[in-house]
Amino acid sequence: MNIILLSGGSGQRLWPLSNDVRSKQFIKIFKDNSGDYESMVQRVFRQIVEVDPAANITIATSKTQVSAIHNQLGENVGISIEPCRRDTFPAIALASAYLHDVQKVALDEAVVVCPVDPYVDKEYFLALEKLSKLAETGDANLTLLGIDPTYPSEKYGYIIPENKRDVSKVVSFKEKPDVETAKDYISKGALWNGGIFAYKLSYLLEKAHEIIDFKDYQDLFDKYATLEKISFDYAVVEKESKINVMRFGGLWKDLGTWNTLTEAMEENVIGEAYLNEKCEGVHVINDMNIPIVVMGLKSAIVAASPDGILVSDKEQSSYIKPYVEKIEQPIMFAEKSWGSYRVLDVEKDSMTIKVTLNPGHSMNYHSHERRDEVWSIVRGIGKTIIDGEEQTVRPGDVVNMKAGQKHTIKNDSNEELQLIEVQLGADITVDDKIKYDL
């Protein structure tokens, strides 16, 4: 099975655990088969491989999420990187060209496209396998997976099928309705549109060439910033007459808010937190190394991270976005392909960061033009390279890098390497970084 997972969004509705580089799909709140915490993207990736060990999985995402994907899934995962955001049709066109030109997927093979972050079980991925086979052997150009509604939702668009069979033709699509209209749709057999569909690779690439003038994947990638922002629904779905829908009645939840996310949590507390006996329906997620005590709250969510603290009634948590948009501060925590960093302190002319370097990884060889840096090693053994000179470092060692000096650190050991990085300068920004080959 060829499957494209769409991974986007800035995750503002799940602030403070999500931010511009750590979207909701990377928050570790679910338990895997061994009892360890895993994120939505790890959970979905694991579930696909359990159903189809030979699945060809490609994640379509922005460049800001690539490091987090490699951190959580490793290096051996296909990634179609959007140079900038251009909505779902350009993203899917680019990923499809990536499959054909880079991964050499044949034009007559089927491709399944779905979001990276639904809360689902094995039955869903078995349905995706069936969807893929329908796309490969059926006469429809597009085959959708329609979700059996569990209530008259105003959050989703609706698919109106020709009949109530397991697979039927699509009559029409409806935008997000009010509750009464949704009830009417459901009475006629309507399905939620979860943005899940399949097609033959040849069909999508033909559509892409009709709408966009490009030669191949690299050409499309190079001109991506010039493309019109357009959704897949508007560019393809609404203009296609040969569309079928397959009905799905299994577990499917869109965990887009704190309220819905806590419904899927197996326990009320993640991290160090203490609730007294008067608390009812309270969930706490503490990503900090300090304790949280909650007394007497009811139907509330408490979430703490280096980016901030949220205390909210669960229903009201759905309206957090405009308040988060007012907050201006640097990213305080991020996962990188080599490990992670956590900002400890920000001053006018300095920033202090705790860096964790995973075993077998190294930072990019780089320099800064407008800041000096000081590394204090606190755990593990590694090797620094500064302007070509290599040196072994251990806990207690201090390394100084002046502006303009090329530097990196390697962790060739079997345990994490941790250091405190102090950045010194009047203009400290993430853009002040020049990378070099080593």
Short mmCIF file of all heavy atoms in Angstrom, two decimals, residues 173-204:
data_model
loop_
_atom_site.label_atom_id
_atom_site.label_comp_id
_atom_site.label_asym_id
_atom_site.label_seq_id
_atom_site.Cartn_x
_atom_site.Cartn_y
_atom_site.Cartn_z
N PHE A 173 -21.42 16.97 -2.41
CA PHE A 173 -20.71 17.31 -1.18
C PHE A 173 -21.39 18.53 -0.55
O PHE A 173 -21.85 19.42 -1.26
CB PHE A 173 -19.24 17.64 -1.47
CG PHE A 173 -18.46 16.47 -2.00
CD1 PHE A 173 -18.38 16.23 -3.36
CD2 PHE A 173 -17.80 15.61 -1.14
CE1 PHE A 173 -17.66 15.16 -3.86
CE2 PHE A 173 -17.09 14.53 -1.63
CZ PHE A 173 -17.02 14.30 -2.99
N LYS A 174 -21.43 18.56 0.78
CA LYS A 174 -22.05 19.67 1.48
C LYS A 174 -21.04 20.29 2.45
O LYS A 174 -20.27 19.58 3.11
CB LYS A 174 -23.28 19.20 2.27
CG LYS A 174 -24.37 18.56 1.40
CD LYS A 174 -24.98 19.56 0.43
CE LYS A 174 -26.12 18.93 -0.38
NZ LYS A 174 -26.70 19.88 -1.34
N GLU A 175 -21.04 21.62 2.49
CA GLU A 175 -20.16 22.33 3.43
C GLU A 175 -20.63 22.09 4.86
O GLU A 175 -21.70 21.53 5.10
CB GLU A 175 -20.16 23.83 3.11
CG GLU A 175 -19.58 24.17 1.75
CD GLU A 175 -18.10 23.85 1.66
OE1 GLU A 175 -17.39 24.00 2.67
OE2 GLU A 175 -17.65 23.45 0.57
N LYS A 176 -19.83 22.54 5.83
CA LYS A 176 -20.17 22.36 7.24
C LYS A 176 -21.53 23.00 7.54
O LYS A 176 -21.71 24.20 7.37
CB LYS A 176 -19.10 23.00 8.12
CG LYS A 176 -17.72 22.40 7.92
CD LYS A 176 -16.65 23.16 8.68
CE LYS A 176 -15.26 22.60 8.40
NZ LYS A 176 -14.20 23.37 9.09
N PRO A 177 -22.52 22.19 7.97
CA PRO A 177 -23.87 22.70 8.17
C PRO A 177 -24.13 23.08 9.63
O PRO A 177 -23.29 22.87 10.50
CB PRO A 177 -24.72 21.50 7.79
CG PRO A 177 -23.90 20.34 8.29
CD PRO A 177 -22.44 20.74 8.14
N ASP A 178 -25.32 23.64 9.88
CA ASP A 178 -25.75 23.80 11.27
C ASP A 178 -26.31 22.45 11.74
O ASP A 178 -26.44 21.50 10.96
CB ASP A 178 -26.79 24.91 11.40
CG ASP A 178 -28.02 24.69 10.52
OD1 ASP A 178 -28.46 23.53 10.36
OD2 ASP A 178 -28.55 25.68 9.98
N VAL A 179 -26.65 22.35 13.00
CA VAL A 179 -27.04 21.06 13.58
C VAL A 179 -28.28 20.48 12.91
O VAL A 179 -28.34 19.29 12.58
CB VAL A 179 -27.26 21.20 15.11
CG1 VAL A 179 -27.86 19.92 15.68
CG2 VAL A 179 -25.94 21.51 15.81
N GLU A 180 -29.30 21.31 12.69
CA GLU A 180 -30.55 20.81 12.11
C GLU A 180 -30.33 20.30 10.69
O GLU A 180 -30.87 19.26 10.29
CB GLU A 180 -31.62 21.91 12.13
CG GLU A 180 -32.11 22.25 13.52
CD GLU A 180 -32.64 21.03 14.28
OE1 GLU A 180 -33.40 20.25 13.68
OE2 GLU A 180 -32.27 20.87 15.45
N THR A 181 -29.53 21.02 9.91
CA THR A 181 -29.23 20.58 8.55
C THR A 181 -28.43 19.29 8.58
O THR A 181 -28.64 18.38 7.76
CB THR A 181 -28.47 21.66 7.79
OG1 THR A 181 -29.21 22.88 7.82
CG2 THR A 181 -28.25 21.26 6.34
N ALA A 182 -27.49 19.18 9.54
CA ALA A 182 -26.69 17.96 9.68
C ALA A 182 -27.59 16.76 9.98
O ALA A 182 -27.38 15.66 9.46
CB ALA A 182 -25.64 18.14 10.77
N LYS A 183 -28.61 16.95 10.83
CA LYS A 183 -29.55 15.87 11.14
C LYS A 183 -30.26 15.40 9.87
O LYS A 183 -30.46 14.19 9.67
CB LYS A 183 -30.57 16.35 12.17
CG LYS A 183 -30.03 16.52 13.57
CD LYS A 183 -31.12 17.01 14.51
CE LYS A 183 -30.58 17.20 15.93
NZ LYS A 183 -31.63 17.74 16.84
N ASP A 184 -30.64 16.34 9.02
CA ASP A 184 -31.31 16.00 7.77
C ASP A 184 -30.38 15.22 6.85
O ASP A 184 -30.79 14.22 6.24
CB ASP A 184 -31.80 17.28 7.09
CG ASP A 184 -32.51 17.00 5.76
OD1 ASP A 184 -33.52 16.26 5.80
OD2 ASP A 184 -32.05 17.50 4.72
N TYR A 185 -29.11 15.66 6.75
CA TYR A 185 -28.14 14.94 5.93
C TYR A 185 -27.99 13.49 6.41
O TYR A 185 -27.99 12.55 5.62
CB TYR A 185 -26.78 15.62 5.97
CG TYR A 185 -26.70 16.97 5.30
CD1 TYR A 185 -25.67 17.86 5.60
CD2 TYR A 185 -27.64 17.37 4.35
CE1 TYR A 185 -25.57 19.10 4.98
CE2 TYR A 185 -27.56 18.62 3.74
CZ TYR A 185 -26.52 19.47 4.06
OH TYR A 185 -26.44 20.69 3.46
N ILE A 186 -27.84 13.33 7.72
CA ILE A 186 -27.60 12.00 8.29
C ILE A 186 -28.79 11.07 8.05
O ILE A 186 -28.62 9.88 7.79
CB ILE A 186 -27.28 12.13 9.80
CG1 ILE A 186 -25.93 12.84 9.99
CG2 ILE A 186 -27.24 10.75 10.47
CD1 ILE A 186 -25.62 13.21 11.43
N SER A 187 -30.00 11.64 8.12
CA SER A 187 -31.20 10.82 7.88
C SER A 187 -31.22 10.26 6.46
O SER A 187 -31.89 9.26 6.18
CB SER A 187 -32.46 11.65 8.14
OG SER A 187 -32.63 12.63 7.12
N LYS A 188 -30.48 10.90 5.56
CA LYS A 188 -30.43 10.46 4.16
C LYS A 188 -29.18 9.62 3.87
O LYS A 188 -28.86 9.35 2.71
CB LYS A 188 -30.46 11.67 3.24
CG LYS A 188 -31.75 12.49 3.36
CD LYS A 188 -31.68 13.77 2.55
CE LYS A 188 -32.97 14.59 2.71
NZ LYS A 188 -32.89 15.89 2.01
N GLY A 189 -28.48 9.24 4.94
CA GLY A 189 -27.31 8.38 4.77
C GLY A 189 -26.00 9.10 4.55
O GLY A 189 -25.01 8.49 4.11
N ALA A 190 -25.96 10.40 4.84
CA ALA A 190 -24.74 11.18 4.62
C ALA A 190 -23.61 10.72 5.53
O ALA A 190 -23.83 10.17 6.61
CB ALA A 190 -25.02 12.66 4.84
N LEU A 191 -22.37 10.98 5.07
CA LEU A 191 -21.17 10.58 5.79
C LEU A 191 -20.28 11.79 6.04
O LEU A 191 -20.28 12.74 5.26
CB LEU A 191 -20.39 9.55 4.96
CG LEU A 191 -21.16 8.28 4.58
CD1 LEU A 191 -20.46 7.56 3.44
CD2 LEU A 191 -21.30 7.37 5.79
N TRP A 192 -19.53 11.74 7.13
CA TRP A 192 -18.54 12.80 7.37
C TRP A 192 -17.44 12.70 6.33
O TRP A 192 -16.99 11.61 5.97
CB TRP A 192 -17.92 12.66 8.75
CG TRP A 192 -18.80 13.12 9.87
CD1 TRP A 192 -19.88 13.94 9.80
CD2 TRP A 192 -18.64 12.77 11.25
NE1 TRP A 192 -20.42 14.13 11.04
CE2 TRP A 192 -19.68 13.44 11.95
CE3 TRP A 192 -17.74 11.99 11.97
CZ2 TRP A 192 -19.82 13.32 13.35
CZ3 TRP A 192 -17.88 11.86 13.34
CH2 TRP A 192 -18.91 12.53 14.02
N ASN A 193 -16.97 13.85 5.88
CA ASN A 193 -15.83 13.92 4.97
C ASN A 193 -14.57 14.14 5.80
O ASN A 193 -14.30 15.25 6.26
CB ASN A 193 -16.02 15.04 3.96
CG ASN A 193 -14.96 15.04 2.88
OD1 ASN A 193 -13.97 14.31 2.96
ND2 ASN A 193 -15.14 15.87 1.86
N GLY A 194 -13.80 13.07 5.99
CA GLY A 194 -12.60 13.15 6.81
C GLY A 194 -11.34 13.45 6.03
O GLY A 194 -10.24 13.38 6.59
N GLY A 195 -11.47 13.76 4.74
CA GLY A 195 -10.29 14.05 3.93
C GLY A 195 -9.45 12.83 3.63
O GLY A 195 -8.22 12.90 3.57
N ILE A 196 -10.12 11.68 3.42
CA ILE A 196 -9.43 10.41 3.18
C ILE A 196 -9.87 9.90 1.81
O ILE A 196 -11.07 9.74 1.56
CB ILE A 196 -9.80 9.37 4.25
CG1 ILE A 196 -9.59 9.95 5.66
CG2 ILE A 196 -9.00 8.09 4.07
CD1 ILE A 196 -10.52 9.38 6.70
N PHE A 197 -8.92 9.65 0.92
CA PHE A 197 -9.29 9.23 -0.43
C PHE A 197 -8.13 8.48 -1.09
O PHE A 197 -7.00 8.50 -0.60
CB PHE A 197 -9.70 10.44 -1.29
CG PHE A 197 -8.72 11.58 -1.24
CD1 PHE A 197 -7.66 11.64 -2.12
CD2 PHE A 197 -8.87 12.58 -0.30
CE1 PHE A 197 -6.76 12.69 -2.07
CE2 PHE A 197 -7.96 13.64 -0.24
CZ PHE A 197 -6.91 13.69 -1.12
N ALA A 198 -8.47 7.83 -2.21
CA ALA A 198 -7.46 7.06 -2.95
C ALA A 198 -7.65 7.26 -4.44
O ALA A 198 -8.75 7.55 -4.92
CB ALA A 198 -7.56 5.58 -2.59
N TYR A 199 -6.56 7.10 -5.19
CA TYR A 199 -6.59 7.28 -6.64
C TYR A 199 -5.42 6.51 -7.25
O TYR A 199 -4.47 6.14 -6.55
CB TYR A 199 -6.46 8.76 -7.01
CG TYR A 199 -5.29 9.46 -6.32
CD1 TYR A 199 -3.98 9.31 -6.80
CD2 TYR A 199 -5.49 10.25 -5.19
CE1 TYR A 199 -2.92 9.94 -6.17
CE2 TYR A 199 -4.43 10.88 -4.56
CZ TYR A 199 -3.15 10.72 -5.05
OH TYR A 199 -2.10 11.33 -4.41
N LYS A 200 -5.51 6.28 -8.56
CA LYS A 200 -4.33 5.77 -9.26
C LYS A 200 -3.36 6.93 -9.45
O LYS A 200 -3.77 8.06 -9.74
CB LYS A 200 -4.73 5.20 -10.63
CG LYS A 200 -5.27 3.78 -10.56
CD LYS A 200 -5.44 3.21 -11.96
CE LYS A 200 -5.95 1.78 -11.89
NZ LYS A 200 -6.18 1.21 -13.24
N LEU A 201 -2.09 6.64 -9.32
CA LEU A 201 -1.07 7.68 -9.40
C LEU A 201 -1.14 8.40 -10.75
O LEU A 201 -0.97 9.63 -10.81
CB LEU A 201 0.32 7.07 -9.20
CG LEU A 201 1.49 8.04 -9.11
CD1 LEU A 201 1.28 9.09 -8.03
CD2 LEU A 201 2.79 7.27 -8.86
N SER A 202 -1.45 7.67 -11.81
CA SER A 202 -1.54 8.29 -13.14
C SER A 202 -2.63 9.36 -13.18
O SER A 202 -2.45 10.41 -13.80
CB SER A 202 -1.81 7.23 -14.19
OG SER A 202 -3.01 6.53 -13.90
N TYR A 203 -3.75 9.10 -12.52
CA TYR A 203 -4.87 10.06 -12.53
C TYR A 203 -4.46 11.38 -11.89
O TYR A 203 -4.69 12.46 -12.45
CB TYR A 203 -6.07 9.48 -11.78
CG TYR A 203 -7.14 10.50 -11.49
CD1 TYR A 203 -8.02 10.92 -12.48
CD2 TYR A 203 -7.26 11.06 -10.22
CE1 TYR A 203 -9.00 11.87 -12.22
CE2 TYR A 203 -8.23 12.01 -9.94
CZ TYR A 203 -9.10 12.41 -10.93
OH TYR A 203 -10.06 13.36 -10.67
N LEU A 204 -3.84 11.32 -10.73
CA LEU A 204 -3.51 12.55 -10.02
C LEU A 204 -2.44 13.34 -10.77
O LEU A 204 -2.52 14.57 -10.85
CB LEU A 204 -3.04 12.21 -8.59
CG LEU A 204 -2.99 13.36 -7.57
CD1 LEU A 204 -1.80 14.28 -7.78
CD2 LEU A 204 -4.30 14.17 -7.58
#
